[in-house]
Amino acid sequence: MDAIRLALFGALLAGLASCSDPEKDATALFVDAAAEIQGASTKGEWDRYQAYSSAEKKLDSITSQFKSTQAALKIASSEKIGGLTAAELKQQIVELKDSPGVCLALKNADCTMKLIKANITKMLAVDEKKTVDGVGNAIVKLKLSGLDTDVDEILGMIAKKIGVPSISEKTNAVYPKLVGEFLNSAASAYNEHELTVLYENVLKWPAIAANPNGADDMRVKLISELNLRDHSVLALRVVKDAGGDQQPLLASIAMRGLSNGYETNPPVAIVEELIGFAQGEDRVDALAGFAGVGEKERVAAFKLAQDEDERSKVTVKLIASGMKAFSTEERLSVLEGASPETLRANPRPVLEFALEGKEKKAVVEGLLDKTLPLSDPENQRIAQTVREIVSGAKNESALVDLVYADRQRVCEIAPGLLRSAERFDLMVPLATACLPASSGYASPAMLTNIAGAAAQGGDGGTLEAVLKILRTSPAWKENLYDILYSTLYHGKFEQTFAEVKAAGRFDGGIYTQLLKTSLEKGVGNPVEVVDAAIANGGYFDAWTVPDVTGLSKQSLANLDKLISERGEVLAAIMMRDPSSFMKLDPDRLLVLASKVQEDHAKPAIFSALAKKARLDSKPEVLAAAWTLPSDPSEIVERLTTLKLNETLSKSAATQ
């Protein structure tokens, strides 16, 4: 019984302790809500939204749980609470929910579309024609995001504003052009899988499917920005999907990097298929470019040649290219397979090989016999001297002696021959003979060939001695860019940079080449190059900055040093072509943004980050991507990019 009484007494005490004063509790909630509202007035959108939402919950608790209290009466009578009435607080929350900052935090699809439509409305109010012309890219991205209903609503808004019943039919007619332009600009922002998803999506659009010619034009725009390193499978797919008369053109565009040397490691099987679509000179160019990559590719290219005539044409182009990527044995194989006519039309590679491989005397003499005689008497004199050097009747100094018989021709050809023979000790005598004190005209080829050959000697002393002689030429100053580009190309960064600084004010683009080399090859100090350019009136082109993909550890270190110490200058260089920001990865873009003070550069950096942003990106990347610019058209561009990237992220997650 005592135990029961004790339990009842304890329960009574607990009940009494739990009782509270409604006025006191309501007042505490009211004071907290007022403080949150007042304190949030200077905060950012997301922090303000959170504070207002928290305050609203407290006020709702007062009106639902403590209806008869003074605090509830104050709320009902629209008294200001921390500066806002309850109704004003609710309105602020509604407006904030559609703001960029809250959209970012909540990933709210509805509010993002409201922002897009609101800013298109602003664009229409300023310039109707410019809006109609400029909104196409956004429309394409929204359709690719599966938002057809929103696209129809936007097209309806535009039609109403410009006073026509509908612009849907007109838009359908230009979709191939709009899609082509978008895919052309998107190649640098999306990987091969993402681009393939986009490409397959647009092929299903009725406006594309019903317009084969427009679809092929769209393919031309897309494939012109693809490369075989990153997009080989898609490139082949695009060619195969095209109409038969368009396939040769598309295939030649896809393989253009082979001809200009940009594609250094192409996928052999895919290139073989692409070459099968090419025709005429485009096919020969592709075969020669493919063959020039290396031994494996050369064998494959010659197997693909359709007949002896095509094989001969490929050989001519291959020999004319110099076969820089080939070993001695590979070059020999090409030269031995060439006809006498081909060798006589391009004798210099034969002569250079003869001096480089003169220990293979019988083979070399056979090649020379196949090549000689040459119809040009000056070339024949040089070739005959090479023949005598190979036979042992003369040594390489005989090439220097030839200068006095034909200075111009010999001084353009002999540097490469001495380089092939590795007779760098003869470079100074050659330069002295080619540029005597009383010399007249010296061609750019003469100066650059002598400097370039001397730069390959490994010993900086040889190059310095040769440059000292070349400086005496009246043609030195006007050809300085070409001369120094040649020494830089052949690996003498420090000496080239020293020569540039010694020249003082330099109007040429050599600083672009120096900075590009420092960043690509990981040599020198890029900050010193930038400072020297600023001090001496030099300039940089936007393509100075390389794509970070594939850069060496030292190259990345040089790039990071430049971003860290001269970020403002680097951003100004890249602003000459804002698309160049896409060459940097998100982490480096974030660091660069932190170094930039100028308002015009940051939006371009954030735009690049938006194109790279995916749902799984770092919070810092997403925050920067959602730091919207002030211009309505740029806001629309940014938000539609983020919508599309969100769609692609979800698509990748389901694969």
Side-chain angles (χ1 to χ4, degrees):
M1 192 71 176
D2 288 341
I4 294 173
R5 287 197 188 97
L6 186 59
L8 290 171
F9 183 66
L12 179 62
L13 288 176
L16 290 172
S18 66
C19 292
S20 61
D21 182 351
E23 283 290 348
K24 186 176 180 180
D25 290 345
T27 299
L29 288 171
F30 189 91
V31 169
D32 285 348
E36 286 181 318
I37 294 169
Q38 190 168 15
S41 60
T42 59
K43 292 181 178 180
E45 292 167 336
W46 172 237
D47 290 336
R48 197 158 70 252
Y49 176 79
Q50 287 183 300
Y52 285 173
S53 298
S54 174
E56 183 185 37
K57 288 179 181 178
K58 290 181 173 67
L59 298 184
D60 287 345
S61 294
I62 293 171
T63 55
S64 62
Q65 297 179 30
F66 309 111
K67 297 178 182 178
S68 60
T69 62
Q70 289 296 313
L73 291 175
K74 288 181 179 181
I75 295 170
S77 62
S78 298
E79 184 173 321
K80 296 282 185 180
I81 309 160
L84 297 173
T85 66
E88 289 171 339
L89 177 64
K90 289 183 181 296
Q91 183 59 33
Q92 285 282 310
I93 291 172
V94 170
E95 292 176 3
L96 280 169
K97 198 169 185 180
D98 291 339
S99 69
V102 177
C103 274
L104 165 63
L106 298 179
K107 302 290 189 299
N108 190 313
D110 290 339
C111 77
T112 304
M113 279 309 308
K114 286 180 182 177
L115 276 173
I116 291 170
K117 293 170 185 176
N119 280 281
I120 290 177
T121 300
K122 290 179 183 178
M123 292 166 63
L124 286 167
V126 175
D127 190 329
E128 294 176 8
K129 184 179 186 309
K130 187 176 179 181
T131 302
V132 173
D133 293 341
V135 81
N137 201 38
I139 293 294
V140 168
K141 286 184 285 184
L142 291 175
K143 278 188 70 67
L144 287 169
S145 302
L147 301 171
D148 287 6
T149 301
D150 292 295
V151 167
D152 291 341
E153 183 179 334
I154 290 169
L155 293 177
M157 287 167 46
I158 296 173
K160 183 177 180 180
K161 180 65 178 176
I162 63 178
V164 297
S166 172
I167 61 170
S168 296
E169 187 174 338
K170 181 180 178 181
T171 306
N172 285 339
V174 297
Y175 265 138
K177 177 177 180 291
L178 295 176
V179 170
E181 290 172 350
F182 168 70
L183 292 177
N184 179 275
S185 66
S188 63
Y190 300 106
N191 60 39
E192 185 169 44
H193 170 74
E194 291 171 332
L195 281 173
T196 302
V197 169
L198 297 177
Y199 173 67
E200 290 177 343
N201 188 327
V202 299
L203 291 181
K204 298 173 185 176
W205 295 4
I208 301 293
N211 187 350
N213 291 335
D216 279 344
D217 290 342
M218 176 265 292
R219 291 187 180 96
V220 170
K221 287 188 173 69
L222 169 59
I223 208 165
S224 66
E225 288 300 313
L226 302 182
N227 64 72
L228 297 180
R229 181 192 69 188
D230 301 320
H231 314 112
S232 59
V233 174
L234 177 57
L236 181 59
R237 162 80 183 275
V238 170
V239 173
K240 288 182 174 180
D241 285 349
D245 57 336
Q246 283 289 300
Q247 288 177 331
L249 170 63
L250 292 171
S252 67
I253 294 173
M255 295 185 290
R256 69 199 180 287
L258 294 173
S259 302
N260 58 31
Y262 290 144
E263 300 283 5
T264 56
N265 189 27
V268 173
I270 287 180
V271 173
E272 288 177 337
E273 280 200 70
L274 286 171
I275 288 175
F277 291 101
Q279 295 177 0
E281 282 301 306
D282 288 336
R283 178 182 168 86
V284 173
D285 287 341
L287 283 168
F290 186 39
V293 173
E295 175 65 8
K296 176 180 64 176
E297 292 79 6
R298 181 180 67 80
V299 171
F302 277 99
K303 282 183 179 178
L304 288 170
Q306 293 174 330
D307 51 38
E308 192 57 41
D309 180 58
E310 187 170 73
R311 193 172 292 107
S312 176
K313 289 178 180 178
V314 171
T315 302
V316 169
K317 288 183 178 291
L318 197 55
I319 291 174
S321 72
M323 301 179 285
K324 303 296 183 185
F326 284 14
S327 68
T328 301
E329 291 299 324
E330 288 167 357
R331 270 179 287 154
L332 174 60
S333 178
V334 174
L335 293 171
E336 285 186 322
S339 67
E341 292 75 21
T342 296
L343 297 180
R344 288 173 192 141
N346 299 276
R348 191 178 300 189
V350 177
L351 301 182
E352 290 178 354
F353 178 82
L355 292 177
E356 181 182 338
K358 59 182 181 291
E359 71 279 358
K360 300 178 180 180
K361 186 176 178 181
V363 172
V364 168
E365 286 183 335
L367 270 177
L368 290 170
D369 288 341
K370 188 177 178 181
T371 306
L372 302 180
L374 302 176
S375 58
D376 181 87
E378 286 79 11
N379 282 345
Q380 173 61 23
R381 188 182 299 113
I382 295 171
Q384 185 58 41
T385 301
V386 170
R387 183 104 173 50
E388 291 169 350
I389 293 170
V390 171
S391 69
K394 292 182 179 179
N395 64 37
E396 287 83 354
S397 62
L399 290 169
V400 178
D401 296 335
L402 281 179
V403 172
Y404 304 104
D406 180 11
R407 185 174 72 92
Q408 192 66 42
R409 183 76 60 87
V410 173
C411 290
E412 291 182 3
I413 296 176
L417 298 177
L418 291 178
R419 179 203 64 223
S420 297
E422 297 188 353
R423 289 300 305 272
F424 297 102
D425 58 308
L426 293 174
M427 289 297 179
V428 172
L430 178 67
T432 303
C434 289
L435 288 101
S438 60
S439 66
Y441 173 73
S443 71
M446 179 193 299
L447 298 173
T448 56
N449 289 356
I450 293 173
Q456 295 176 69
D459 178 8
T462 298
L463 177 59
E464 179 54 41
V466 166
L467 291 178
K468 185 176 180 180
I469 296 167
L470 298 186
R471 289 188 203 107
T472 65
S473 168
W476 165 262
K477 207 161 194 178
E478 65 186 84
N479 293 295
L480 191 52
Y481 172 83
D482 292 327
I483 295 167
L484 296 183
Y485 178 72
S486 181
T487 62
L488 180 64
Y489 177 80
H490 291 298
K492 293 297 189 288
F493 177 90
E494 295 297 346
Q495 282 180 279
T496 302
F497 188 27
E499 202 68 42
V500 170
K501 288 188 287 186
R505 295 194 69 79
F506 203 121
D507 294 332
I510 193 66
Y511 286 106
T512 289
Q513 300 294 347
L514 281 165
L515 186 56
K516 186 171 186 288
T517 300
S518 179
L519 297 176
E520 282 189 346
K521 306 297 183 184
V523 297
N525 184 335
V527 173
E528 290 181 0
V529 175
V530 167
D531 291 347
I534 293 171
N536 292 302
Y539 64 85
F540 298 101
D541 293 311
W543 52 263
T544 302
V545 182
D547 193 313
V548 297
T549 306
L551 287 184
S552 69
K553 186 176 180 180
Q554 185 56 53
S555 293
L556 291 173
N558 276 10
L559 177 58
D560 291 339
K561 180 179 180 66
L562 186 61
I563 293 173
S564 175
E565 298 181 26
R566 297 293 184 274
E568 194 83 36
V569 177
L570 178 61
I573 293 170
M574 300 180 77
M575 277 300 293
R576 294 183 176 181
D577 177 9
S579 67
S580 65
F581 286 112
M582 292 301 296
K583 295 178 180 180
L584 302 183
D585 57 278
D587 286 341
R588 288 183 171 83
L589 284 170
L590 286 172
V591 176
L592 182 60
S594 71
K595 303 293 181 181
V596 171
Q597 301 302 320
E598 295 185 31
D599 291 340
H600 76 289
K602 273 195 174 177
I605 297 173
F606 290 160
S607 177
L609 279 165
K611 291 175 181 177
K612 293 175 178 287
R614 303 294 185 270
L615 288 179
D616 59 353
S617 294
K618 290 181 177 180
E620 300 91 336
V621 173
L622 290 170
W626 279 80
T627 304
L628 300 183
S630 56
D631 181 81
S633 63
E634 293 178 6
I635 292 175
V636 171
E637 175 67 22
R638 181 80 61 82
L639 290 175
T640 51
T641 294
L642 290 168
K643 290 293 293 182
L644 178 57
N645 290 357
E646 179 184 338
T647 301
L648 289 171
S649 293
K650 291 176 179 177
S651 171
T654 61
Q655 296 299 311

